Amino acid sequence: APILLVVTKADLVPEVVSEAQRDARVAAIKASLRGKPYESQITSVLSVSSKTGEGMDAVRAVLDDNSRLQYYGDEVPLKWFKFQKLVKEIVARDSDDGSNRRISHEQAVQIASACGIAEEPEVDTMLQRFHDVGFLLWHDQPGTRDLVVLDVQWMLDHMTELLCQRCITEKYEESMEKRGVWSELQTSGRLGIELLPELWPGLVPWERQSLLK
């Protein structure tokens, strides 16, 4: 998604600082972003003052030019917001096994129905929109559409277990029967499918397959 970076509290910059010096500071911020994974997503870097309103017209101009902002300005049904609210409540619940951080597509349909979204095609449209703007993760593809990740951090945590050498070493030491396969993962990066129950013991088989796809 496009990123508009807004630097606030411009009113606290001393008046003796020239416009050229201010521009130099903004340029320094832009330079610090070079080479970052998200560099291409940053559309503008603007300085504003929430107190005086300085720079706010420039921000509005960028937002009004919504050519690069997906869905910006589109009307969103109230029932979609109800679904989002319920999802946030589910994620906020305490759960040691992470069961509150992902649901099945069937459960998503049930929750949506309680919010007044009766047709499954609309549920899928909503899930795709929410995925596109980063509210959740859902891929409408065979083998992955059954899993709806409500908390992106949950996905990151599980991918870390797959990629982190320290995590892999811990799994190797804990394993009683598959140390050879864990060793191959450590040395070659090749994941044996038989490791999945030990890698993600808290997931059911179809969830493990969805994560890999």
Side-chain angles (χ1 to χ4, degrees):
I3 299 171
L4 168 60
L5 183 58
V6 179
V7 184
T8 61
K9 299 186 178 180
D11 54 284
L12 297 183
V13 177
E15 294 183 2
V16 295
V17 175
S18 68
E19 192 69 26
Q21 288 175 304
R22 288 192 180 192
D23 291 343
R25 293 182 180 184
V26 172
I29 294 174
K30 291 180 178 179
S32 70
L33 301 171
R34 290 174 187 159
K36 303 295 185 184
Y38 46 80
E39 179 184 6
S40 61
Q41 297 173 257
I42 298 174
T43 59
S44 303
V45 179
L46 303 174
S47 60
V48 304
S49 168
S50 302
K51 183 177 181 180
T52 67
E54 176 188 352
M56 295 305 296
D57 287 341
V59 173
R60 293 189 187 96
V62 173
L63 293 178
D64 287 341
D65 178 16
N66 58 17
S67 59
R68 294 189 61 192
L69 299 176
Q70 193 175 25
Y71 309 130
Y72 180 77
D74 291 358
E75 292 186 0
V76 178
L78 179 60
K79 51 193 175 182
W80 289 20
F81 284 114
K82 291 180 179 178
F83 179 90
Q84 184 190 14
K85 182 176 182 292
L86 282 178
V87 163
K88 288 182 177 180
E89 292 175 356
I90 292 172
V91 173
R93 297 172 185 168
D94 290 331
S95 175
D96 294 334
D97 61 0
S99 58
N100 62 322
R101 301 169 74 186
R102 86 280 189 187
I103 56 176
S104 67
H105 182 268
E106 181 180 356
Q107 289 173 310
V109 171
Q110 293 172 352
I111 295 172
S113 177
C115 298
I117 308 170
E119 301 296 329
E120 187 169 325
E122 183 180 0
V123 177
D124 291 350
T125 299
M126 176 187 66
L127 292 176
Q128 187 61 60
R129 291 286 183 90
F130 282 174
H131 169 87
D132 291 341
V133 298
F135 288 159
L136 48 76
L137 295 177
W138 181 69
H139 296 281
D140 189 12
Q141 299 292 333
T144 62
R145 73 184 318 273
D146 287 337
L147 179 65
V148 181
V149 178
L150 306 180
D151 183 2
V152 177
Q153 187 60 50
W154 179 86
M155 174 70 80
L156 294 176
D157 291 343
H158 281 74
M159 290 300 102
T160 297
E161 292 179 342
L162 174 59
L163 301 173
C164 175
Q165 281 292 335
R166 178 179 56 82
C167 293
I168 294 175
T169 299
E170 290 176 356
K171 296 290 186 181
Y172 167 84
E173 294 174 350
E174 293 170 0
S175 180
M176 300 300 294
E177 300 177 354
K178 299 183 176 65
R179 285 194 172 183
V181 190
W182 280 111
S183 181
E184 184 177 2
L185 176 60
Q186 285 180 307
T187 57
S188 68
R190 186 174 303 162
L191 175 66
I193 199 73
E194 63 269 35
L195 292 181
L196 293 182
E198 293 187 4
L199 177 65
W200 297 318
L203 306 184
V204 296
W206 71 265
E207 289 178 322
R208 297 172 189 142
Q209 293 295 332
S210 294
L211 284 185
L212 291 180
K213 293 181 179 180

